[in-house]
């Protein structure tokens, strides 16, 4: 979803004009950008936390040669999704577990037959790479 699609979707969701939503989105991005650039965090509860992270200079290792190198200090932007957002996006698996436990406690008198698990699907076997035939020896013709 790009910015225009987001603007139209929000406008339709709240029943507002797309131009008004565009102004709000522009204002939002400007305020968050300015605040984070000053070094302050912006946390939108249930959504995400925006922060500037300063990394100190350190010694690293060149993976190709193994030689030690100096890595300069740097600043990075970090956006961390918060719990409610992650639960909504990832399916809220943690919320489903308590409901099942409560359902089991509600009806302890009945003994249910053990649930059958679906047989695990095996991954297809990988074929071994083809072996090269040994090179033929050159023989002199007479």
């Amino acid at each position: 979803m790009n910015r225009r699609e987001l603007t139209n979707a929000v406008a339709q969701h709240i029943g507002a004009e797309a131009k008004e939503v565009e102004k709000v989105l522009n204002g939002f991005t400007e305020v968050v950008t300015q605040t984070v650039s000053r070094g302050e965090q912006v946390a939108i509860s249930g959504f995400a936390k925006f922060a500037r992270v300063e990394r100190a200079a350190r010694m690293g290792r060149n993976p190709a040669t193994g030689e030690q190198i100096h890595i300069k200090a740097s600043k990075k932007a970090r956006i961390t999704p918060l719990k409610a957002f992650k639960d909504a996006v990832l399916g809220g698996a943690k919320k489903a577990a308590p409901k099942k436990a409560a359902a089991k406690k509600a009806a302890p008198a009945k003994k249910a037959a053990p649930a059958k698990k679906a047989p695990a699907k095996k991954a297809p076997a990988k074929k071994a790479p083809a072996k090269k035939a040994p090179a033929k020896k050159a023989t002199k013709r007479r």
Side-chain angles (χ1 to χ4, degrees):
M1 176 179 280
N2 62 27
R3 187 179 186 98
R4 180 175 292 153
E5 293 168 343
L6 176 65
T7 302
N8 292 334
V10 171
Q12 184 177 11
H13 184 75
I14 64 171
E17 292 288 324
K19 289 181 181 181
E20 293 175 20
V21 174
E22 180 66 27
K23 286 180 186 179
V24 171
L25 283 177
N26 285 336
F28 170 77
T29 55
E30 288 175 15
V31 170
V32 170
T33 303
Q34 290 172 359
T35 305
V36 173
S37 67
R38 288 193 306 258
E40 298 175 35
Q41 290 185 359
V42 174
I44 302 170
S45 61
F47 181 61
K49 180 172 68 173
F50 302 84
R52 183 176 79 180
V53 179
E54 296 186 22
R55 300 191 69 187
R58 62 196 185 280
M59 293 302 290
R61 191 171 295 275
N62 182 341
T65 63
E67 172 187 351
Q68 282 197 340
I69 58 172
H70 181 318
I71 301 171
K72 300 186 295 187
S74 62
K75 297 176 186 173
K76 303 287 181 191
R78 179 175 293 159
I79 301 171
T80 308
L82 298 180
K83 186 178 182 334
F85 179 79
K86 286 193 280 190
D87 288 348
V89 171
L90 301 176
K94 293 182 181 179
K95 289 184 178 181
K99 289 181 182 178
K100 288 181 183 177
K104 287 181 183 177
K105 289 181 184 177
K110 292 183 181 179
K111 283 193 172 184
K116 293 183 181 180
K117 293 185 178 179
K121 292 184 180 180
K122 293 183 180 179
K126 293 184 179 178
K127 293 182 180 178
K131 293 182 180 178
K132 291 184 177 179
K136 293 183 180 179
K137 292 184 180 178
T139 56
K140 291 184 180 179
R141 292 189 179 212
R142 294 184 184 186

